[in-house]
């Protein structure tokens, strides 16, 4: 057993010397305009525009190529990608891009990370970019048609929350449930 542990430790040390160990490392130990290398599973599609969120076992982060993925293959949900680019911030959202050096699709059709179960008050900067679920949400506007680029307030676990639906979201035009719902989404700004 000691040999296995030593091998894994040695392997982790060699990876660290070439790139960031994980997304949390890039988020906390690097600054705006620093170049980073991050690897993670893509957790969203084009319904959020060109931005893609990636997540590993430690954290999540937005990847922003600019308005389009010109020059790169556009990542899809479930792709594991490695991105080299510059850290920036847009309206408080930490992201890698729009200055991207490379985007490599390592594999496709990977399972998505298991969403972390949270309450509305637990949505914070520490979860930014991560796939989360809020159980038992009751929307104030339940029964109304969902409009794009709008926010909808809800209550879950006795706490207030807000969900944002972009115009490109597949739920736009459908009726917002008047019943308790479990909300799965990516924590953003």
């Amino acid at each position: 057993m000691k040999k296995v542990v030593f091998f894994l430790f040695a392997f982790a040390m060699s990876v660290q010397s070439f790139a960031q160990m994980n997304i949390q490392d890039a988020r906390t130990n690097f600054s705006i305009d620093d170049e980073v290398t991050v690897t993670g599973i893509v957790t969203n599609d084009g319904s959020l525009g060109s931005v893609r969120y990636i997540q590993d076992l430690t954290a999540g982060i937005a990847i922003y190529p600019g308005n389009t993925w010109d020059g790169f293959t556009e990542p899809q949900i479930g792709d594991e990608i490695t991105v080299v680019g510059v850290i920036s911030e847009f309206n408080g959202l930490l992201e890698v891009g729009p200055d991207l050096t490379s985007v490599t699709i390592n594999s496709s059709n990977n399972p998505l990370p298991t969403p972390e179960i949270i309450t509305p008050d637990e949505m914070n900067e520490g979860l930014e970019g991560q796939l989360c679920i809020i159980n038992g949400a009751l929307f104030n506007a339940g029964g109304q048609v969902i409009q794009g680029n709008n926010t909808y307030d809800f209550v879950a676990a006795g706490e207030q929350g807000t969900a944002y639906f972009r115009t490109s979201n597949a739920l736009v035009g459908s009726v917002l449930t008047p019943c308790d719902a479990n909300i799965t989404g990516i924590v953003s700004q």
Side-chain angles (χ1 to χ4, degrees), residues 23-24 27-28 55-61 92 94 116 118 121-132 186-189:
I23 294 171
Q24 186 62 41
R27 291 185 68 84
T28 57
Q55 186 174 332
D56 65 12
L57 295 175
T58 66
I61 196 163
L94 191 68
E116 186 169 339
I118 63 170
D121 287 351
E122 293 174 319
M123 284 192 285
N124 60 44
E125 198 76 22
L127 292 174
E128 184 180 84
Q130 291 187 56
L131 198 57
C132 292
I186 300 167
V187 176
S188 188
Q189 277 297 303

Side-chain angles (χ1 to χ4, degrees), residues 48-130:
L48 297 177
S50 61
V51 70
R52 294 297 184 274
Y53 286 87
I54 65 170
Q55 186 174 332
D56 65 12
L57 295 175
T58 66
I61 196 163
I63 307 297
Y64 180 63
N67 291 329
T68 67
W69 285 92
D70 286 346
F72 302 108
T73 301
E74 185 172 347
Q76 303 300 314
I77 290 177
D79 286 349
E80 180 192 71
I81 64 173
T82 298
V83 178
V84 179
V86 174
I87 292 179
S88 63
E89 192 172 61
F90 180 74
N91 289 336
L93 177 67
L94 191 68
E95 58 189 21
V96 179
D99 296 323
L100 300 178
T101 304
S102 72
V103 176
T104 304
I105 298 176
N106 304 318
S107 61
S108 298
N109 300 315
N110 295 288
L112 295 182
T114 301
E116 186 169 339
I117 299 171
I118 63 170
T119 66
D121 287 351
E122 293 174 319
M123 284 192 285
N124 60 44
E125 198 76 22
L127 292 174
E128 184 180 84
Q130 291 187 56

